[in-house]
Amino acid sequence: MLIDFLNLGRVNARYEPAIRDAIDRVLGSGYYLLGEEAAAFEREFASYCGVKHCIGVANGLDALHLILRGYDIGEGHEVIVPANTFIATWLAVSLVGARIVPIEPDGSTWNIDPKRIEEVITPRTRAIMPVHLYGCPADMDAVREIARRHHLRVVEDAAQAHGARYRGRRAGGLGDAAGFSFYPGKNLGALGDGGAITTSDDELADRLRKLRNYGSSIKYQHDILGVNSRLDEIQAAVLRVKLAHLDAENARRAALANIYREALAATPVELIRLSDEMESVWHLFVVRTPERDALRDFLTSRGVGTQIHYPVPCHRQGAYAHQAWPDLPTTDRLQSQILSLPMSPYLSADDAVHVAGLVADFFNHR
């Protein structure tokens, strides 16, 4: 049995007629940027996340970068981020000229550990940027309480958490603002790059709409130094089609995750441990074992695709090699041990049982 880690053709084939109709609608309109499709998606996604505003941008990195710019965070400031994350979280801070302050992950969720945050806050700290890694929400009550006491912004990196909930509230509405990615492999994925910012901050939303469009809200009138970062009409139309099915697909992911979790409970692999307040959307299903590389080879030899998210921690990337970082042993150890198993709404229950059975076989024959 061959099981791909992810097959985007199969993901999108389920909605191909509706996607083609949406693209044809855009082509027929003759309007391809900042038109009705983007405006409609922004309204629909804001409502979905439970916030007042959604601002479509070109990608998830731009979403985070522009939020920081929108709050005038830059040179001379510090932003607290997880050490364990995709590099875009760090790049957003670097792009505004602020200093990255990395925090080691919590032992249960592998998200940012709130207990470590206050010890690194200084007079230069301006924001905390928790990441809802793998689709699992961070401990937002703890993060927000620390931010409140120290008058800091909370910027959610929700790039992997479309539809995730914390205490019943969706990601995207848990901080002051949130950045989303619609990279094709996300739970809500476009057919190319795309991103969005969600917020209920009216002033920030107005500033972001200018920032994404050359600093302009009126054509040829540029009030601030902006960039070109807009969600195009075709991607917005595709996302509108797929947003209507997001909750159903997330429920499918949750069902597959439950199969994995039950079947792997008796194996030596370590799994993410969720609290009752956390509802993950299982963008990735990640297991942890010191025998990661051997397990991956074993699964590959039996036709099961896997991935490593992410094999090299941010502080060990060449882009950041010139900077001195604190010791981050938990992050280093985690990144050497984690493996992502297949997770997609087109997988069957039998697929999940088969993959989990192979993992068990690997350990049974060690």
Side-chain angles (χ1 to χ4, degrees), residues 277-291:
E277 294 85 8
M278 298 170 180
E279 184 179 326
S280 179
V281 291
W282 301 104
H283 171 60
L284 299 172
F285 190 90
V286 180
V287 301
R288 179 179 183 182
T289 172
E291 299 183 79

Side-chain angles (χ1 to χ4, degrees), residues 5-6 133-136 160 185 187 253 257 272 280-286 307-310 340-343:
F5 176 75
L6 179 64
L133 196 64
Y134 314 141
C136 173
Q160 300 181 5
N187 291 37
R253 290 173 180 268
I272 288 172
S280 179
V281 291
W282 301 104
H283 171 60
L284 299 172
F285 190 90
V286 180
Q307 290 288 335
I308 299 172
H309 298 87
Y310 303 94
S340 300
L341 302 182
M343 172 56 73

Side-chain angles (χ1 to χ4, degrees), residues 44-78:
E44 292 160 6
F45 196 59
S47 175
Y48 180 82
C49 293
V51 297
K52 293 171 65 176
H53 305 283
C54 171
I55 301 94
V57 295
N59 53 68
L61 173 56
D62 281 0
L64 297 173
H65 167 217
L66 291 176
I67 292 170
L68 297 178
R69 279 198 59 187
Y71 279 131
D72 290 320
I73 295 171
E75 191 170 349
H77 298 152
E78 296 174 352

